[in-house]
Amino acid sequence: MSGDDTEHARRFTELRPLLFTVAYELLGSATDADDVLQDSYLRWAAVDLDTVTDSRAYLAKIVTRQALNAIRSSSRRREDYVGPWLPEPILLDERDASDDVVLAESVSTAMMVVLESLGPDERAVFVLREVFGFSHDEIGDFLGKSPAAVRQTAHRARAHVQARRPRFVPVDDTRAAAVTDAFMAAASSGEVEALMAILAPDVVFTADSDGKASAVRRPISGALAVARLLMGFHRLGRLEDDLRVEAAIFSSHPGIRVYFDGRLQGVFVFDVVDGLITNVFAMRNPDKLGNVTDVRPIAR
């Protein structure tokens, strides 16, 4: 490896957590974000470093453009998706999930669902400006737009997100363990009332399966309806001898990995406000479970 190749690799590796976070927040998929970073590195390796004054901005531009290309190429696949679509959960460590509130919220499942309601350019402008602090001029360069157009898009995207932004509370290992322990105790009790006691009255259960695993194909609302659905954990405990549950922090929320029949069956992510679960995000799509056992460093 030549000296230039080594320097390309060093700069890219140093910024990789940030670049992954940019790609993930634009795509909602760790798998697709990895592909974008691979393609971006090939483009970066061909750049004359003497022409680069700011590696962070230059690499963010490459990654943003590659991510937007990936969004366009996957639009048909998304249209054919069976049932609700949820962002791919990522396993975080306690530091990433609680020390930087802006960063933690930006990759939370609840926020990613809101970002999914933006158009690709609006999403890119919002993420690059609000999370990563790039200037309007820099974002204009990334997207091939004028700074004035970026400002208008930023204002529109910010208003859209603020109108839908869920309340976010940072989580650490201790709080995550308390939530998941309470959930498993209630779910295994076999008592609907025990589950209802930890659910918000207007709780929503949303499952993502793309028709590739058993799951409800529309969101279920209300504490009683969701509690009855979650009684499936109690039934599983009686039917599956090898049922195993592991607690962790997924996408800035407390969550659990569920194993039985000798394999990972799903990830359940809990959005918690004032001690009550307001959303249950259930990832059952096997194509989105390949990245939930490795910690993903994130940065901004």
Side-chain angles (χ1 to χ4, degrees), residues 3-8 11 44 46-53 55:
D4 281 351
D5 290 341
T6 300
E7 183 60 15
H8 279 94
R11 295 191 196 184
W44 169 245
V47 171
D48 180 356
L49 293 181
D50 289 337
T51 66
V52 177
T53 57
S55 296

Side-chain angles (χ1 to χ4, degrees), residues 1-296:
M1 181 180 290
S2 69
D4 281 351
D5 290 341
T6 300
E7 183 60 15
H8 279 94
R10 185 193 68 78
R11 295 191 196 184
F12 193 91
T13 300
E14 184 178 84
L15 290 166
R16 187 179 181 89
L18 179 148
L19 301 174
F20 170 81
T21 310
V22 171
Y24 175 71
E25 292 192 20
L26 294 184
L27 296 164
S29 166
T31 303
D32 291 344
D34 286 339
D35 291 342
V36 161
L37 260 60
Q38 184 175 4
D39 291 342
S40 297
Y41 182 77
L42 295 177
R43 285 165 170 73
W44 169 245
V47 171
D48 180 356
L49 293 181
D50 289 337
T51 66
V52 177
T53 57
D54 184 342
S55 296
R56 179 178 182 268
Y58 200 104
L59 278 164
K61 176 171 71 172
I62 295 175
V63 167
T64 297
R65 289 182 173 180
Q66 291 302 108
L68 290 174
N69 287 339
I71 289 172
R72 296 182 187 103
S73 66
S74 66
S75 59
R76 179 57 185 273
R77 184 179 35 163
R78 189 71 64 84
E79 290 172 2
D80 295 336
Y81 208 81
V82 178
W85 183 97
L86 289 174
E88 188 177 325
I90 54 174
L91 180 63
L92 302 179
D93 65 23
E94 180 180 353
R95 174 185 56 79
D96 285 343
S98 60
D99 281 1
D100 185 332
V101 176
V102 172
L103 177 64
E105 181 191 23
S106 71
V107 299
S108 68
T109 300
M111 175 56 82
M112 295 286 282
V113 169
V114 174
L115 292 181
E116 189 64 21
S117 64
L118 292 170
D121 283 355
E122 286 183 328
R123 184 169 182 166
V125 169
F126 180 86
V127 166
L128 293 168
R129 180 65 182 160
E130 300 297 320
V131 180
F132 297 96
F134 288 105
S135 70
H136 295 111
D137 287 354
E138 287 173 317
I139 298 170
D141 179 47
F142 294 2
L143 302 180
K145 296 180 177 292
S146 69
V150 170
R151 286 189 182 89
Q152 290 179 344
T153 302
H155 177 76
R156 187 168 60 249
R158 192 181 305 114
H160 180 95
V161 171
Q162 283 298 107
R164 295 161 178 78
R165 190 179 219 136
R167 182 178 165 193
F168 176 76
V169 180
V171 63
D172 56 21
D173 279 347
T174 300
R175 184 168 174 270
V179 170
T180 52
D181 287 349
F183 173 80
M184 289 311 302
S188 61
S189 71
E191 300 292 335
V192 169
E193 293 79 6
L195 272 168
M196 291 182 66
I198 63 170
L199 300 175
D202 57 350
V203 62
V204 178
F205 180 100
T206 307
D208 178 327
S209 70
D210 195 21
K212 298 173 183 176
S214 59
V216 293
R217 294 192 178 182
R218 60 178 180 83
I220 303 297
S221 302
L224 179 58
V226 173
R228 285 173 172 167
L229 182 65
L230 291 173
M231 285 301 294
F233 276 98
H234 177 66
R235 292 188 289 273
L236 272 176
R238 291 184 299 168
L239 296 174
E240 302 292 342
D241 293 335
D242 65 341
L243 176 66
R244 177 165 56 94
V245 175
E246 296 176 346
I249 298 173
F250 297 101
S251 303
S252 299
H253 298 294
I256 54 175
R257 283 189 296 257
V258 179
Y259 297 82
F260 59 87
D261 285 344
R263 63 186 178 89
L264 176 63
Q265 298 283 348
V267 169
F268 289 73
V269 178
F270 308 115
D271 186 11
V272 181
V273 176
D274 294 333
L276 296 177
I277 297 173
T278 59
N279 280 285
V280 181
F281 301 107
M283 181 53 65
R284 294 280 286 129
N285 184 346
D287 296 339
K288 294 185 178 183
L289 294 174
N291 292 287
V292 297
T293 57
D294 298 321
V295 173
R296 291 287 187 155

